[in-house]
Amino acid sequence: MKKLLITLLCCIPFLLQAQQPKFGPAPSKSESKLKTWSKQQLKFATFYTAVTGNNSLADISVYSINPNTGILEEEVVSTPFDYTIAFGVRKIARLDYENRKNIFYNGTETSVSDAATVGNVEGLEYLFEFDYKRQQGSKFVDQQHFLRYVHDHWILKVEYVQDGFADLRYFESSQRYRYNIAKEFSLNVGLVQRFSEPYGFDPLSDLAGADFTNIAIDQGYGTNFEGEWLDPNGNVVAENNIVWNAVALPNVLNEYVDQERSLLPYQWNHSLVLGYDYYHYTKKFWLHSWASVLPLHVSAKNEYSYTNFVDGNTWFDYTGGLILGWQVNKRLGLFSEGKYHKYWNRAWHDFSVGFNYRII
């Protein structure tokens, strides 16, 4: 959360415009420059909020045999509808190959190019978005915030991403020197600061047997006179000890490990970054590609840092993206786009590839 606050503090200059007095002495030259600069950063920016929803999974019938009566029983499992409540403000210039999907922003806008190191214009671009979601019956909080300032010879970027459905959360800031080899191609080198989850932490490593059940009891689980196992709210989670040991107890231990790990602070990583960015566009063919490699890392002294987990600072992290479009002729068009991350031995990615053919 501290990192998120740091990111949000970068927006303070934008808010200063609202604090300019309507009456009183004329503003100084510095105040006038700040007001002009603030207006420039707010130009083309859009604040949006929206609620979207759709059906979730269809109802499912689950059959079981009552162990006491031997009668077949049916339970209908219903999943409530999915929804998203989004709040955000964005100022991101679209690239030449991008078309705006909707007239209004509703929080569902995603673009592979947002992950690129260099945007379509020089200057400041930003996105701040909070999403409250219910998906397949589970509730999540998603966040995506980033600031990107592109200059002809340097690049600054700060980003915070939280994907509740994918259980993904990371912060990254970078400061890079940019060297333009050609109008379409540039190299960059600099420093990256990131935080990661604690690695090498296992609160169950020294436990065995009855200790596992004692952990569940400490968490509020227990049994009744019928031999059923109940959760802290009094709901039956296992009808007997066999189901408890095979199904319920492992879930309880997973929750316990997540709970204990959440008490540990995130671990900072400081790394060298090398990257490139290539962008070529015509109406019939375009190629946008970028990549960054993090080959060297400062050795951290924290007990649960990834540096200690891999026994040294010799691992490679990398990220990249590719967007390709080719209008072969008046009827046939090919496209491909995707991005890939590999940080701390964990990978996440998305892609799409295909073709369009106009029949007439």
Side-chain angles (χ1 to χ4, degrees):
M1 185 57 67
K2 291 182 179 179
K3 293 79 184 179
L4 179 58
L5 292 175
I6 293 173
T7 303
L8 296 177
L9 286 174
C10 296
C11 298
I12 290 178
F14 306 152
L15 304 178
L16 294 179
Q17 178 191 12
Q19 300 177 0
Q20 300 296 327
K22 295 182 179 180
F23 306 99
S28 63
K29 290 184 178 180
S30 60
E31 291 175 334
S32 298
K33 290 182 179 179
L34 178 60
K35 186 175 181 179
T36 301
W37 184 84
S38 300
K39 284 184 176 180
Q40 291 176 345
Q41 307 315 316
L42 290 171
K43 189 176 182 180
F44 303 120
T46 302
F47 172 80
Y48 56 90
T49 180
V51 179
T52 58
N54 56 272
N55 293 335
S56 188
L57 299 174
D59 294 348
I60 301 174
S61 294
V62 179
Y63 296 93
S64 62
I65 298 177
N66 190 306
N68 297 323
T69 63
I71 299 176
L72 179 66
E73 297 179 349
E74 178 185 5
E75 179 184 1
V76 178
V77 179
S78 299
T79 303
F81 69 92
D82 297 345
Y83 67 81
T84 299
I85 305 173
F87 306 88
V89 58
R90 64 183 290 135
K91 178 187 175 182
I92 306 175
R94 293 193 301 274
L95 292 149
D96 300 304
Y97 55 78
E98 293 181 309
N99 293 317
R100 183 163 175 174
K101 180 180 178 181
N102 301 319
I103 297 175
F104 298 103
Y105 291 120
N106 62 8
T108 62
E109 296 77 18
T110 58
S111 175
V112 175
S113 64
D114 289 350
T117 309
V118 179
N120 195 33
V121 297
E122 290 192 359
L124 182 66
E125 295 181 300
Y126 50 85
L127 168 67
F128 299 95
E129 180 174 325
F130 294 85
D131 294 335
Y132 299 91
K133 294 183 176 182
R134 184 171 67 193
Q135 187 171 352
Q136 298 181 15
S138 300
K139 295 182 179 180
F140 305 99
V141 175
D142 288 355
Q143 300 183 59
Q144 183 178 9
H145 314 293
F146 86 81
L147 291 164
R148 178 174 60 195
Y149 195 98
V150 177
H151 187 267
D152 193 38
H153 296 298
W154 49 272
I155 307 166
L156 299 177
K157 187 174 182 180
V158 180
E159 182 177 21
Y160 178 82
V161 175
Q162 177 181 351
D163 187 332
F165 189 75
D167 191 24
L168 173 68
R169 180 184 302 178
Y170 75 93
F171 167 87
E172 177 179 309
S173 65
S174 62
Q175 309 81 37
R176 312 190 191 200
Y177 168 74
R178 180 185 182 193
Y179 180 72
N180 296 294
I181 296 179
K183 183 179 179 181
E184 299 176 333
F185 182 63
S186 65
L187 300 175
N188 57 78
V189 59
L191 302 174
V192 172
Q193 304 81 40
R194 303 171 295 162
F195 70 66
S196 68
E197 64 181 14
Y199 283 87
F201 173 70
D202 184 5
L204 304 178
S205 59
D206 297 328
L207 302 179
D211 294 331
F212 297 144
T213 300
N214 290 334
I215 288 176
I217 294 175
D218 292 339
Q219 298 291 103
Y221 291 82
T223 58
N224 57 21
F225 291 107
E226 287 76 23
E228 299 172 325
W229 282 88
L230 311 177
D231 66 13
N233 297 321
N235 301 314
V236 177
V237 295
E239 298 175 348
N240 51 56
N241 287 334
I242 297 177
V243 177
W244 167 255
N245 291 318
V247 180
L249 181 57
N251 292 331
V252 174
L253 295 179
N254 287 334
E255 295 175 357
Y256 172 75
V257 171
D258 291 340
Q259 173 185 305
E260 293 299 304
R261 183 178 286 115
S262 67
L263 300 177
L264 298 175
Y266 277 87
Q267 311 296 305
W268 278 98
N269 295 257
H270 304 274
S271 310
L272 172 72
V273 61
L274 307 172
Y276 79 87
D277 190 276
Y278 178 82
Y279 178 54
H280 170 77
Y281 174 81
T282 66
K283 291 184 177 180
K284 292 187 176 181
F285 179 82
W286 56 88
L287 175 63
H288 188 188
S289 175
W290 65 92
S292 295
V293 179
L294 287 67
L296 297 176
H297 315 272
V298 175
S299 179
K301 297 181 179 180
N302 297 326
E303 181 180 0
Y304 299 113
S305 69
Y306 188 74
T307 305
N308 299 331
F309 182 74
V310 296
D311 192 24
N313 58 354
T314 56
W315 83 92
F316 280 80
D317 286 344
Y318 51 87
T319 178
L322 174 68
I323 299 175
L324 171 67
W326 182 20
Q327 192 65 46
V328 181
N329 51 46
K330 291 183 179 180
R331 294 189 176 184
L332 178 63
L334 308 176
F335 68 90
S336 176
E337 63 178 29
K339 60 181 184 290
Y340 188 91
H341 280 79
K342 180 183 176 296
Y343 282 176
W344 311 295
N345 201 34
R346 179 175 181 182
W348 63 96
H349 57 83
D350 58 76
F351 70 91
S352 63
V353 60
F355 71 90
N356 287 182
Y357 185 82
R358 296 179 182 175
I359 300 175
I360 299 178

